[in-house]
Amino acid sequence: MGKLSRFLVLALVALFPSSILAADYTLRFAHDGAPDSVYAQTYRKFGELANKYTNGKVKVKLFENAVLGGDREVTESTQRGDLQMGGCGTSNLGIFWPSATAFDLPFVVDPAKKRVLYDALNNGELGKYLNDQLGKVGLMALVYADTAPRNYVTNKRPIPDLKSLKGIKMRTTASPVDNATAETLKMNPAPMGFEEVYTALQQGTIDGELLSFADYLSLRRGDVVHYALPTQHSFTSMFGVINKKYFDSLPPDVQAGLKKAAVEACAWGQQLVDQIEQEGREEGKKNKLTVYPFPAEERAAFIEAVQPVYDKYVPTLDPKFFELLKATQK
């Protein structure tokens, strides 16, 4: 190679290092989120920041929209090491570590205190203890992607209050707590995969689902959802989990870069969620979505009604983990 050619190569590398030099580590990261969902955008932000904070050593290759399976499938693939990372919602994390079902308890997280929760997950004893336990099943929670709190919504049947939920066929997740909550409130739970819900609502196979206003917007539910009771009782966070053995094999500087990227992406995602949630409410107004009031006395009635769910599941949880989780909500 002549002097001029070598000079041009060096100049291009200096100007465009990430495009000229291959990354040392490629993280194949699969999840079920639609590309414009808030958590899919958070995961993409993590990928950008991971490349930045590892000086180009890491490339995150995303597989979105459940192309490699839903939460359970991609998390199992991550456990096996077929994938480096997978997206798992807290509503399904209990499949892998049963005490994670604590996140599913109705009203366990106050939306006004979610920042305290995420700080405890990213930087505090809660996150450390969680990962100590997940490590026993080969996983580590790395990226915490916020989602908006979910409400009960229906397509044909008005739901102005607690009593009106009786008999509704409500889509639920695989979480036993999620299903127990629906049963306790006299609904008929219908567990199904996220990717099946739109068609089920369209065809009348189910009457409603748990849905945030942010997802109402991003999932384009305007034509199949017509009534909403804004309980905000259901907290779901999307965890980007990484194979623990793989993470431990990475050099310390790469680990630090990934953690920094994850924390920053988490904060970025929380702001995005708040913005999209408000946009979803505005979209609902345009579509004449009926949103019923949910005053303090109605909230109190709901909390009292779901107490049997706490009585059943809290004794089954890791007590230290549950206390650490509750401490973020004081």
Side-chain angles (χ1 to χ4, degrees):
M1 185 185 292
K3 289 183 178 179
L4 181 58
S5 297
R6 284 197 298 271
F7 173 78
L8 288 172
V9 169
L10 291 171
L12 286 170
V13 168
L15 287 170
F16 307 106
S18 61
S19 59
I20 299 294
L21 298 175
D24 295 339
Y25 307 96
T26 298
L27 272 59
R28 298 172 73 247
F29 184 176
H31 64 85
D32 67 0
D36 58 351
S37 66
V38 287
Y39 64 92
Q41 293 183 65
T42 300
Y43 289 155
R44 281 201 296 277
K45 174 60 70 172
F46 164 71
E48 296 169 13
L49 295 171
N51 186 263
K52 174 183 176 181
Y53 292 138
T54 61
N55 296 316
K57 292 179 181 178
V58 168
K59 177 183 178 182
V60 177
K61 185 175 183 181
L62 286 159
F63 298 85
E64 303 178 326
N65 232 5
V67 294
L68 296 183
D71 284 21
R72 181 169 189 159
E73 291 82 7
V74 300
T75 305
E76 288 174 343
S77 294
T78 302
Q79 274 186 308
R80 292 192 301 267
D82 299 335
L83 291 168
Q84 286 73 45
M85 294 189 69
C88 189
T90 48
S91 56
N92 287 306
L93 193 62
I95 297 169
F96 302 92
W97 182 52
S99 286
T101 56
F103 287 113
D104 298 337
L105 290 167
F107 301 101
V108 74
V109 174
D110 183 341
K113 297 176 181 175
K114 70 176 183 178
R115 281 171 173 74
V116 180
L117 171 70
Y118 283 118
D119 184 57
L121 286 169
N122 279 310
N123 306 304
E125 185 64 22
L126 177 64
K128 182 180 183 302
Y129 189 79
L130 171 67
N131 273 328
D132 285 344
Q133 307 313 307
L134 290 180
K136 297 174 183 177
V137 293
L139 299 170
M140 172 185 158
L142 180 60
V143 188
Y144 299 105
D146 187 28
T147 67
R150 296 182 299 173
N151 317 286
Y152 285 124
V153 301
T154 55
N155 53 4
K156 295 178 181 178
R157 185 167 159 182
I159 46 171
D161 52 26
L162 176 60
K163 296 183 299 182
S164 64
L165 295 174
K166 185 177 180 180
I168 284 180
K169 193 168 185 181
M170 183 66 64
R171 181 261 170 169
T172 55
T173 67
S175 164
V177 176
D178 198 6
N179 286 277
T181 300
E183 289 176 348
T184 300
L185 296 178
K186 311 301 182 186
M187 290 182 278
N188 298 316
M192 66 176 60
F194 171 77
E195 65 280 0
E196 304 171 58
V197 177
Y198 183 89
T199 301
L201 284 167
Q202 204 172 39
Q203 295 176 348
T205 309
I206 56 175
D207 302 317
E209 65 171 321
L210 283 166
L211 192 74
S212 69
F213 290 106
D215 283 339
Y216 173 86
L217 176 67
S218 64
L219 298 176
R220 297 174 178 83
R221 288 288 202 259
D223 57 340
V224 291
V225 167
H226 306 300
Y227 303 97
L229 186 60
T231 56
Q232 294 193 313
H233 72 283
S234 178
F235 169 82
T236 299
S237 182
M238 302 301 296
F239 288 6
V241 295
I242 190 167
N243 180 279
K244 180 69 164 58
K245 186 175 180 181
Y246 178 79
F247 183 83
D248 289 345
S249 73
L250 296 172
D253 65 316
V254 173
Q255 292 182 3
L258 290 175
K259 287 181 177 178
K260 183 177 181 181
V263 172
E264 192 168 311
C266 177
W268 180 89
Q270 289 175 64
Q271 292 183 331
L272 179 65
V273 164
D274 292 343
Q275 173 191 327
I276 303 294
E277 176 82 345
Q278 184 56 41
E279 291 175 6
R281 287 177 179 272
E282 294 302 320
E283 182 69 11
K285 290 178 183 177
K286 292 178 186 176
N287 293 333
K288 295 182 169 52
L289 172 71
T290 300
V291 181
Y292 294 100
F294 193 67
E297 58 270 23
E298 190 70 19
R299 187 175 191 273
F302 263 83
I303 291 174
E304 182 180 355
V306 298
Q307 188 57 46
V309 180
Y310 279 75
D311 295 340
K312 180 178 180 179
Y313 284 100
V314 169
T316 72
L317 302 174
D318 180 316
K320 180 174 179 180
F321 176 70
F322 188 57
E323 287 304 313
L324 287 169
L325 176 59
K326 286 201 305 180
T328 68
Q329 301 302 298
K330 292 178 179 176

